[in-house]
């Protein structure tokens, strides 16, 4: 949230190590979203209603600039209950201390509800004199967004029906519900409503460790969310990010009139690795999020403040790449870089036929990786690469010809990212890109490379893929960056890349 000139980031944290347990709300502050200072934890287990953990939640800034935290506490019996906290001293812009009022908890699971699947309250919104918030839940395998209402922001009553639920989706963690403008990129505060907005419902699925969102229409009079007809509501639906990205949250930034999205790039997702259960990971670059003009999906882009870290610049203009060509992008720090590239495709005739059964982008990326020769592609970047390519993380496009249109695949393939094989999760992540190549035969790609994280934004933010990787050779000054083409169609490349400086303050 933003409060009195300062951005506040709260996040789940175990002060004793990168394993599950001892969960507190860590607290960091920034004036520019780039330089961060760590403060003392905002809240930590101290009361009967949270003695076994202060789990995820949200912040709401009430009228009069009054911040409130909602969070899930774990009681002595292990039940998940919803609590709130307020600043001990609201005149302190750093909000260093928080108070848990005695009238906690504000929401307890009912008799027929799953008390161990009831968590992560959202930012609240107010329409027609009533505040609302959501709490994620599960009944058997039905994912649920429980709805609660309040007039005074203290006494909360569960609505008879959830805002939304979907069978066979499992537990809905970290729900997020917010409006986006139908026109333009301006953000909307949580209570915005009317004919000029559409609503987004995002859930983090515990069963898949991926996040999914839908677009739809919100009816406050019935407190019902109706998903758009062409928005898939389930595991095959839209994602913010088709890679290593989870437990995200958005907030409205009133300073620059935008909505900002933030998530975790997790250290590991393999079930055998206990680290994954502790959410060991790092925050991704904050992203601005808004509605695509086609109104069928969201667009995402790194916040503009990240560009203040750019330094040494190198360009490639109208560089032709034939089959098998690989050109190194030199004179920048390849281990920490911002790369913006446009690929121009002279002709689409050589695109490979698309099999309609290829519905899973990640499986398709595994089958047709960067080393598998194609027609139009694969072409893209080899990031965090060693000199002789013993290690590299390719981020690339591949174009297929379907019956009525071209299908574009964006991959970020970690399988060759590290020589380390034991205990390391190295998946091939991918998503399809909803872009029409019939008018303009170009594809853009922006990748932010930061030592162990590669965040990629395809086609202006239509499809995003984050990979968390651990090279052993391609580190620091021994990391290299290449642009490549392994398709029979010659590709023209225009590239702009920058070395990225470290922030002055990195949570210190």
């Amino acid at each position: 949230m933003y409060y009195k000139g300062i951005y506040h980031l709260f996040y789940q944290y175990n002060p004793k190590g990168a394993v599950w347990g001892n969960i507190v709300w860590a607290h960091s502050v920034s004036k520019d979203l780039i330089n961060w200072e760590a403060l003392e934890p905002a809240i930590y287990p101290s009361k009967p209603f949270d003695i076994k953990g202060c789990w995820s939640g949200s912040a709401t800034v009430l009228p009069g600039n009054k911040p409130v935290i909602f969070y899930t506490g774990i009681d002595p019996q292990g039940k998940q209950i919803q609590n709130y906290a307020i600043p001990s001293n609201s005149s302190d812009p750093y909000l260093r201390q928080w108070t848990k009022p005695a009238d906690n908890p504000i929401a307890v699971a009912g008799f027929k509800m799953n008390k161990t699947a009831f968590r992560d309250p959202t930012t609240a919104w107010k329409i027609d004199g009533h505040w609302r918030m959501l709490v994620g839940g599960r009944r058997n395998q039905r994912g649920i967004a429980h709805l609660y209402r309040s007039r005074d922001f203290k006494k909360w009553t569960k609505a008879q029906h959830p805002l939304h639920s979907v069978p066979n989706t499992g537990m809905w963690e970290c729900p997020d519900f917010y409006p986006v403008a139908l026109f333009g990129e301006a953000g909307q505060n949580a209570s915005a409503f009317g004919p000029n907005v559409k609503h987004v419902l995002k859930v983090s699925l515990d069963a898949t460790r991926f996040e999914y969102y839908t677009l739809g229409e919100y009816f406050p009079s019935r407190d019902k969310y109706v998903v758009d007809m062409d928005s898939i509501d389930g595991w095959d639906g839209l994602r913010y990010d088709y890679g290593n990205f989870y437990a995200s949250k958005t907030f409205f930034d009133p300073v620059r009139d935008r909505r900002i999205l933030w998530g975790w790039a997790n250290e590991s997702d393999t079930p055998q690795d206990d680290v994954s259960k502790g959410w060991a990971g790092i925050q991704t670059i904050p992203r601005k999020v808004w509605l695509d003009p086609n109104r069928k999906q969201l667009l995402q882009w790194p916040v503009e403040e990240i560009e203040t870290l750019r330094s040494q610049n190198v360009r490639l203009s109208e560089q032709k790449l034939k089959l098998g060509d690989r050109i190194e992008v030199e004179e920048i720090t390849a281990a920490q870089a911002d790369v913006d590239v446009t690929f121009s495709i002279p002709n689409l005739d050589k695109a490979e036929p698309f099999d309609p059964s290829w519905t899973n982008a990640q499986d398709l990326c595994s089958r047709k990786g960067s080393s598998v020769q194609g027609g139009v592609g694969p072409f893209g970047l080899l990031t965090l690469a060693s000199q002789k390519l013993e290690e590299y993380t390719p981020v690339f496009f591949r174009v297929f010809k379907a019956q009525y249109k071209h299908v574009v695949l964006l991959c970020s393939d970690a399988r060759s990212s590290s020589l380390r094989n034991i205990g390391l999760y190295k998946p091939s992540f991918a998503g399809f890109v909803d872009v029409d190549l019939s008018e303009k035969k170009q594809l853009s790609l922006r990748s932010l490379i930061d030592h162990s994280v590669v965040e990629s934004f395809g086609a202006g933010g239509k499809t995003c893929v984050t990979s968390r990787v651990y090279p052993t050779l391609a580190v620091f000054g021994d990391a290299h960056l290449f642009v490549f083409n392994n398709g029979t169609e010659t590709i023209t490349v225009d590239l702009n890349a920058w070395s990225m400086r470290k922030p002055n303050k990195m949570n210190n």
Side-chain angles (χ1 to χ4, degrees), residues 197-215:
V197 303
K198 189 178 285 289
H199 274 75
V200 179
L201 176 62
K202 186 278 306 185
V203 294
S204 305
L205 295 193
D206 190 33
T208 66
R209 290 300 187 209
F210 292 131
E211 298 200 306
Y212 302 81
Y213 74 87
T214 54
L215 298 169

Side-chain angles (χ1 to χ4, degrees), residues 336-376:
Q336 198 162 349
D338 186 349
V339 188
D340 200 348
V341 57
T342 298
F343 301 95
S344 299
I345 310 165
N347 197 313
L348 294 167
D349 291 344
K350 296 179 182 178
E352 304 161 73
F354 182 77
D355 188 329
S357 67
W358 293 344
T359 57
N360 188 302
Q362 188 169 345
D363 290 346
L364 184 56
C365 181
S366 298
R367 183 183 300 123
K368 293 183 176 291
S370 62
S371 61
V372 179
Q373 180 181 318
V376 181

Side-chain angles (χ1 to χ4, degrees), residues 153-410:
F153 214 78
K154 290 187 176 182
K155 183 179 180 182
W156 291 85
T157 303
K158 181 177 174 295
Q160 184 177 359
H161 302 289
L163 181 79
H164 194 56
S165 69
V166 179
N168 302 317
T169 53
M171 175 64 196
W172 283 6
E173 295 190 306
C174 303
D176 201 7
F177 186 64
Y178 58 92
V180 288
L182 286 182
F183 307 97
E185 301 179 14
Q188 307 290 307
N189 69 50
S191 299
F193 170 73
N196 294 320
V197 303
K198 189 178 285 289
H199 274 75
V200 179
L201 176 62
K202 186 278 306 185
V203 294
S204 305
L205 295 193
D206 190 33
T208 66
R209 290 300 187 209
F210 292 131
E211 298 200 306
Y212 302 81
Y213 74 87
T214 54
L215 298 169
E217 187 172 357
Y218 173 49
F219 298 92
S221 60
R222 296 185 287 132
D223 269 325
K224 198 67 179 175
Y225 170 71
V226 179
V227 176
D228 287 351
M229 290 289 292
D230 54 357
S231 194
I232 298 173
D233 198 5
W235 286 16
D236 296 323
L238 294 167
R239 301 186 204 173
Y240 285 153
D241 194 297
Y242 291 83
N244 227 338
F245 187 91
Y246 195 76
S248 70
K249 186 70 66 173
T250 66
F251 75 98
F252 175 64
D253 177 8
V255 180
R256 299 209 177 187
D257 196 20
R258 60 187 172 178
R259 181 158 289 272
I260 293 178
L261 165 68
W262 231 336
W264 286 103
N266 300 314
E267 182 166 327
S268 174
D269 279 329
T270 177
Q272 297 93 334
D273 192 341
D274 285 337
V275 173
S276 67
K277 300 173 185 175
W279 290 118
I282 64 173
Q283 293 281 356
T284 59
I285 296 295
R287 306 171 181 181
K288 177 181 172 180
V289 59
W290 70 100
L291 186 65
D292 188 313
N294 69 16
R295 301 184 183 177
K296 295 181 179 179
Q297 67 169 97
L298 298 173
L299 297 177
Q300 301 167 63
W301 201 248
V303 294
E304 60 188 53
E305 288 90 334
I306 196 68
E307 298 173 16
T308 63
L309 298 179
R310 289 173 172 174
S311 57
Q312 180 68 26
N313 175 236
V314 64
R315 297 190 179 200
L316 296 176
S317 297
E318 297 186 1
Q319 178 70 56
K320 304 289 185 183
L321 289 183
K322 301 188 296 294
L323 171 65
D325 282 351
R326 184 177 69 246
I327 297 176
E328 183 166 4
V329 182
E330 299 179 299
E331 300 181 9
I332 62 167
T333 55
Q336 198 162 349
D338 186 349
V339 188
D340 200 348
V341 57
T342 298
F343 301 95
S344 299
I345 310 165
N347 197 313
L348 294 167
D349 291 344
K350 296 179 182 178
E352 304 161 73
F354 182 77
D355 188 329
S357 67
W358 293 344
T359 57
N360 188 302
Q362 188 169 345
D363 290 346
L364 184 56
C365 181
S366 298
R367 183 183 300 123
K368 293 183 176 291
S370 62
S371 61
V372 179
Q373 180 181 318
V376 181
F379 54 81
L381 303 172
L382 302 180
T383 72
L384 298 175
S386 58
Q387 181 67 60
K388 297 182 180 180
L389 296 187
E390 300 95 336
E391 296 176 335
Y392 60 96
T393 300
V395 183
F396 60 93
F397 290 108
R398 199 177 193 114
V399 181
F400 300 89
K401 174 64 175 176
Q403 185 174 2
Y404 299 110
K405 64 176 183 177
H406 288 90
V407 176
V408 178
L409 180 73
L410 175 61

